[in-house]
Structures are given as structure tokens and as C-alpha cells.
Amino acid sequence: MSKGINILMYHQVGEFAPMKAHRSTYCDHRRFASQMAYLARFGYTVLSMDQVLACLRGQAPVPDKAVALTFDDGYENFYEYAFPVLSRHRFPAMVYMISDLLGKPSSWFAADGRATPPIMSAQRIRQLRGEGIDFGSHGAGHLKLAQQGTEIIRDDVRRSKAALEDVLGEEVRHFCYPYGSHDRRAVDAVADAGYASATTCVRSPATPADDPLTLPRKAISWGDNLIGYFWRLHMKNTPKTEPIRRPGHTLAEALPRY
């Protein structure tokens, strides 16, 4: 079995007041800069999501200490704080956008009294795409898909793909389940829409045993110093829930046979 790849999950990057709740949806920009410097200093290989799939399918070797960087929701503070750091290190990154909310506030935060920072506009994501940042879909309406009717699920994942492809002028191949919420209906809808990968919030490294449409990730939290970051990378490897894997569709089944 090939070595695993740690797909890391970020949300907002910026300067935030100390918090006790929702810590996995914030990352202090100074800690983010330190984390990226750590990856560079200690020889980690940062992969794009296309490279993740190629490695796990056996089309390329899995590098030692391989990671991928993903950012959910597509906040404008990604451009202000994360992008300059990624550019400095020449790290690829995947940003998952909510197609109905481009250029609008992150309105779902209002329900629990949090600030509603803006989502990047279509103009901004075209600018960043020109700078090498990858974009995927985080759905059309940021819905908890497992709680929706089947037709709503199918419409959401298809409509978001089409809308983002119109904005970017290219195929959108990667999806991320909002809130990590998914069931077999959602996975099948993502498959039918033509996505090549989809990421979850199940915590473990991604391996060839995974389904490409239910790839696990590790959430980076507001409170993670470099010791905590190392711990998440190398120790937090046991998923809390069993991943959904469609029979006959794991990445291992695409590995070359000798």
C-alpha cells in the first residue's frame, strides 16, 4: 500500500479575537505563515488535488511527507492573508467556492452571532486562477447535503459546477461537501455531475483504499501552534466515522497491476 497524503483543511485566515467555539474555521495569519514555513523548512511536498489523485492512483510516486492545502468557502481574507504566503513558498492550493455567494457575505454565520466576512467575487477568483490557485465547488447554496432531498442535492452539485465553470472558463473537477455533510445520495450526485474528487471532514490521511469522492482531510484549528500542527500531521490518523466507499470505485482499483 502506498503512503498516505495529508489533505489539510483551512477556512478563514486572518486576525481574530480569542475564541472557544468554531476554532476549526479560523486560522491566525501569523500561525498560518509559520505553518507554511514549517512545511518548506522540513521538506514536505505540497501537492495539488490533481496530483493527489495521480499519486493515489499509482500514476506518480507518493512523495515523502506529502500534503495538500484546501480552503473551504473562499473568503476574501484568503486573498489578503493566505495567498501572499502561498506565493512566497510556491505552494499550490485548492479553494472551494460557494457559487451562489460569490461577492456576498458568509450569511450562515449570522445564526450563531458571528461576523459574516465576504466571499471572494468572480473577478477575484479569475485573478487568483491566473496566479495559479486552483478552484473547486463547495456547492451552490452551502447546504448540509445529507439533510436535503435527493433532487435538491443533485441540483446543488450540478448547478455549482456549471456556474463556476462559467466564471473560470474551464472545467471544475473537484468538490467539497459543505460542513462535511454527505451520504451515499450526495456521493452519487457528485459522481453523476462529473467531479473527479470530493473531500470530506473525516480525519485521516488519504490512501489508495479511499474512494476519490470521499477523501478524508485534517482540520487545522485556530489554536494550533507548531507542536499541534505536527501532531495533526503525524498523529491524528484515526477517523471518528467510517468513510463511505463505493464498491469498485476506490483509488486502489485504478493502481497498475503487474
Side-chain angles (χ1 to χ4, degrees):
M1 185 66 69
S2 297
K3 297 167 289 186
I5 299 171
N6 284 307
I7 304 174
L8 304 182
M9 175 175 63
Y10 291 89
H11 287 75
Q12 295 191 64
V13 179
E15 189 161 356
F16 310 105
M19 67 196 72
K20 293 183 178 179
H22 309 293
R23 289 158 69 93
S24 66
T25 57
Y26 298 88
C27 182
D28 182 88
H29 67 95
R30 290 154 293 203
R31 286 190 166 173
F32 179 76
S34 294
Q35 291 162 6
M36 297 303 102
Y38 172 88
L39 296 179
R41 169 67 178 81
F42 290 101
Y44 289 79
T45 299
V46 181
L47 303 172
S48 70
M49 287 305 297
D50 282 332
Q51 290 172 320
V52 168
L53 290 180
C55 288
L56 295 178
R57 286 187 172 128
Q59 297 164 346
V62 179
D64 290 334
K65 296 192 288 188
V67 302
L69 305 173
T70 65
F71 296 80
D72 291 12
D73 306 329
Y75 303 95
E76 177 67 16
N77 54 37
F78 172 86
Y79 173 72
E80 182 177 358
Y81 290 105
F83 173 62
V85 178
L86 295 169
S87 295
R88 184 160 65 246
H89 294 292
R90 299 182 180 180
F91 286 165
M94 170 63 68
V95 182
Y96 295 111
M97 301 300 304
I98 307 162
S99 63
D100 284 356
L101 296 181
L102 301 187
K104 298 179 181 179
S106 47
S107 54
W108 66 94
F109 284 158
D112 48 27
R114 287 188 281 167
T116 57
I119 302 299
M120 288 188 285
S121 67
Q123 180 180 2
R124 179 72 77 207
I125 68 174
R126 283 192 292 263
Q127 174 191 353
L128 288 174
R129 184 70 190 107
E131 297 287 346
I133 297 297
D134 293 326
F135 289 93
S137 170
H138 202 33
H142 201 249
L143 305 176
K144 293 183 178 179
L145 294 178
Q147 299 179 11
Q148 311 302 317
T150 301
E151 288 308 311
I152 292 175
I153 296 171
R154 296 178 70 85
D155 174 71
D156 186 89
V157 301
R158 286 183 178 276
R159 185 159 54 83
S160 63
K161 188 175 194 293
L164 292 170
E165 288 176 345
D166 284 347
V167 168
L168 292 164
E170 64 183 18
E171 183 183 11
V172 171
R173 291 169 38 80
H174 304 281
F175 187 84
C176 173
Y177 300 100
Y179 307 96
S181 176
H182 66 291
D183 55 15
R184 181 57 190 265
R185 297 173 306 139
V187 176
D188 288 343
V190 168
D192 291 344
Y195 293 97
S197 84
T199 50
T200 70
C201 297
V202 176
R203 184 191 68 195
S204 69
T207 74
D210 284 303
D211 188 316
L213 298 187
T214 57
L215 294 173
R217 293 188 296 171
K218 296 182 177 182
I220 304 303
S221 174
W222 176 83
D224 287 340
N225 58 20
L226 288 181
I227 294 173
Y229 197 65
F230 175 88
W231 184 263
R232 288 186 188 276
L233 281 167
H234 296 288
M235 305 298 177
K236 290 279 190 177
N237 295 327
T238 304
K240 294 182 178 180
T241 58
E242 281 295 315
I244 296 172
R245 290 171 175 161
R246 297 166 297 156
H249 288 86
T250 68
L251 287 152
E253 289 163 290
L255 290 173
R257 292 171 172 81
Y258 299 102

